[in-house]
Amino acid sequence: MYLCTSASGCDNISPMPSATKSNDVKTELAQLAKDAKSAQDLMQRMVKLLHQRMLKYNWVGFYMLEQEPPGQPPMLVLGAFEGAMTPHTRIPLHQGICGAAASTGTTVVVDDVSLDPRYLACSLETKSEIVVPVFAHGKVIGELDIDSHFPAAFKDDDRALVEYCAGLVGKSLEKSSK
Ligand code: SME
């Protein structure tokens, strides 16, 4: 835990243990899901909130699975995101950490991206990454990808938080595609 000793205040750092912080953020996310006008609105507000509140989440974005044009292999297409623009706006399922998470339907956590041959670089500053698939009606329809400038930034409580986010978005997309 960080103890603030500055007389001028410590607004820019988080003195809270990470589990407490992610529980607070979970409560805010649940409210966001209730207030959102659409799944797209929820995704936009969610990436903003995670980027602002979780200090090690330096790039936060959705990739959504697209089947178009018919007959072509499906692609992950960049959706709502916060952080610097990425060169990877379309990712085939056989490429990247993103492709691995979507094609296997499982969460992928990479503590050191420099050691993972699947990694597609988005920023030289990125050290670790988590990608969580989003399911609707039992099928992967996209994913939530988060990069950190810190090695091994994604612990169990981060994984639980990001999986919770993906669950909220999945439910919202299920509602809109009934
Ligand atoms: N690093 C990802 C590509 C997306 S950028 O991080 C935003 C990957 O390896 O699939």
Side-chain angles (χ1 to χ4, degrees):
M1 184 161 82
Y2 184 92
L3 290 177
C4 176
T5 52
S6 161
S8 60
C10 298
D11 288 342
N12 292 329
I13 49 101
S14 170
M16 243 186 242
S18 68
T20 313
K21 174 79 169 280
S22 62
N23 277 337
D24 283 2
V25 172
K26 252 189 196 174
T27 309
E28 290 177 50
L29 287 160
Q31 192 58 46
L32 211 65
K34 281 190 195 144
D35 297 344
K37 293 185 216 79
S38 62
Q40 189 55 35
D41 183 40
L42 175 60
M43 288 189 272
Q44 263 156 4
R45 292 165 71 175
M46 187 177 274
V47 293
K48 194 164 271 188
L49 182 109
L50 290 173
H51 190 251
Q52 272 172 358
R53 301 275 280 113
M54 302 303 287
L55 300 181
K56 292 187 177 179
Y57 294 13
N58 302 111
W59 190 94
V60 183
F62 283 93
Y63 283 92
M64 304 311 288
L65 206 50
E66 282 194 6
Q67 298 292 344
E68 307 279 333
Q72 294 296 307
M75 279 280 172
L76 290 160
V77 178
L78 183 63
F81 74 95
E82 281 288 318
M85 186 56 194
T86 169
H88 303 293
T89 55
R90 295 173 73 80
I91 303 176
L93 286 182
H94 63 278
Q95 282 183 15
I97 314 289
C98 285
S103 59
T104 59
T106 54
T107 296
V108 180
V109 177
V110 179
D111 286 343
D112 180 348
V113 293
S114 74
L115 300 178
D116 194 316
R118 300 170 297 181
Y119 176 65
L120 298 172
C122 154
S123 146
L124 290 176
E125 288 174 299
T126 297
K127 302 285 187 294
S128 60
E129 178 163 11
I130 182 169
V131 187
V132 175
V134 174
F135 289 88
H137 306 295
K139 286 192 178 143
V140 175
I141 43 117
E143 61 192 20
L144 179 50
D145 175 19
I146 305 182
D147 293 351
S148 180
H149 296 171
F150 299 83
F154 303 105
K155 311 292 187 204
D156 288 351
D157 50 325
D158 295 283
R159 183 190 181 114
L161 178 67
V162 185
E163 288 179 346
Y164 176 71
C165 288
L168 289 176
V169 170
K171 269 185 234 147
S172 173
L173 284 161
E174 279 181 358
K175 262 194 249 160
S176 58
S177 67
K178 253 184 202 165

